């Protein structure tokens, strides 16, 4: 019955649905925020002014999904997590946070897969661009033969190219670019770099004066 009710709720016009989501689920939704025909039911949902989630995106199993001012998630994204309430896997990770946080003006475009079994943070004015990128926070620890998870951090003003893979424990420094089809599996710290390859390494410095790195609005015309 719960699943059927949520399915019906998805089909309700947004202005009515927003009030129902606030009243029934306790979500914090700014009047100017918007969710399309999408299955978005984390435990906690916070959407600031102008935040948007596109049609046919699925978000389930998360403890928290938050979008800062003018942050956006596009269409057909698959965002899931292994819930903290579930028993079995990840019992050794007592502080685990199944959450996705997009800071103000951050954006995720269309058709990406995001595993938020551990925390995924996307910084201010950062863009997960193109299509078919994967962020995977959990995997099997072969040495211990158990499931393990680590967070992923994408810094402020970053640009992630199409079809990238980002693994748990990886970090893309602020004002950096991850080239298309790259595999990011380490926590880098040097900003203003182009990271590329499999696995990704810094391949070229970036001009700090690039307009992308100082734009006042997340959306690029």
């Amino acid at each position: 019955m719960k699943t059927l009710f949520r399915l019906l709720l998805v089909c309700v016009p947004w202005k009515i649905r927003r009030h129902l989501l606030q009243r029934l689920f306790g979500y914090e939704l700014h009047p100017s925020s918007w969710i399309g025909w999408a299955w978005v039911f984390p435990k906690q949902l916070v959407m600031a002014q102008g935040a948007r989630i596109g049609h046919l995106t699925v978000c389930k199993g998360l403890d928290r999904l938050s979008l800062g001012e003018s942050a956006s998630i596009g269409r057909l994204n698959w965002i899931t997590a292994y819930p903290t309430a579930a028993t079995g896997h990840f019992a050794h990770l007592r502080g685990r946070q199944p959450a996705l946080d997009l800071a103000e003006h951050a954006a995720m475009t269309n058709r990406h897969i995001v595993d938020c079994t551990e925390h995924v943070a996307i910084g201010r004015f950062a863009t997960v661009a193109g299509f078919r990128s994967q962020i995977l926070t959990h995997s099997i620890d072969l040495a211990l033969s158990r499931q393990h998870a680590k967070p992923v951090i994408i810094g402020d003003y970053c640009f992630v190219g199409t079809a990238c893979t980002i693994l748990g424990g990886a970090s893309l420094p602020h004002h950096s670019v991850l080239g298309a089809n790259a595999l990011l599996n380490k926590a880098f710290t040097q900003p203003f770099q182009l990271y590329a390859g499999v696995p990704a390494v810094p391949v070229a410095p970036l001009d700090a004066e690039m307009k992308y790195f100082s734009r006042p609005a997340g959306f690029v015309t």
Side-chain angles (χ1 to χ4, degrees):
M1 290 297 292
K2 181 190 295 186
T3 300
L4 179 59
F5 172 73
R6 291 183 176 186
L7 183 60
L8 293 173
L9 192 58
V10 167
C11 300
V12 172
W14 170 243
K15 288 186 178 180
I16 299 173
R17 188 175 5 133
R18 180 170 61 81
H19 289 292
L20 291 173
L21 291 172
Q22 290 174 311
R23 188 175 188 86
L24 299 175
F25 294 87
Y27 291 164
E28 300 175 39
L29 306 173
H30 191 276
S32 65
S33 65
W34 178 82
I35 301 176
W37 296 320
W39 186 276
V40 180
F41 293 102
K43 285 185 181 178
Q44 179 187 8
L45 176 60
V46 179
M47 298 182 68
Q49 180 177 350
R52 298 175 64 84
I53 299 175
H55 297 309
L56 302 179
T57 281
V58 171
C59 177
K60 62 178 184 176
L62 278 67
D63 280 1
R64 181 182 69 252
L65 173 62
S66 70
L67 285 79
E69 181 180 347
S70 298
S72 65
I73 295 174
R75 303 181 303 278
L76 288 163
N77 292 290
W78 184 262
I79 304 167
T80 61
Y82 190 82
T84 50
T87 58
H89 302 313
F90 311 108
H92 62 293
L93 299 176
R94 300 187 182 278
R96 185 170 65 89
Q97 296 184 58
L100 172 60
D101 295 317
L102 280 76
E104 59 265 33
H105 291 271
M108 179 185 299
T109 57
N110 308 315
R111 288 185 275 170
H112 301 294
I113 297 174
V114 185
D115 158 40
C116 298
T117 295
E118 184 56 282
H119 186 210
V120 175
I122 301 177
R124 300 167 51 251
F125 294 88
T127 306
V128 179
F131 307 97
R132 304 188 319 279
S133 283
Q134 299 181 70
I135 300 175
L136 305 171
T137 62
H138 88 277
S139 184
I140 295 176
D141 184 326
L142 298 179
L144 298 176
S145 188
R146 70 181 180 189
Q147 297 280 350
H148 191 60
K150 295 180 180 179
V152 164
I153 300 173
I154 298 173
D156 296 346
Y157 287 92
C158 283
F159 182 90
V160 176
T162 194
C164 288
T165 300
I166 303 176
L167 301 183
S171 179
L172 186 63
H174 64 90
H175 298 85
S176 295
V177 172
L178 184 63
N181 291 290
L183 166 63
L184 186 70
N185 64 350
K186 295 180 181 178
F188 289 100
T189 59
Q190 187 175 3
F192 297 104
Q193 293 288 315
L194 168 62
Y195 294 87
V198 179
V201 294
V203 296
L206 297 175
D207 185 355
E209 300 302 316
M210 286 183 175
K211 291 184 178 180
Y212 178 88
F213 292 148
S214 60
R215 69 195 196 285
F219 184 75
V220 178
T221 58

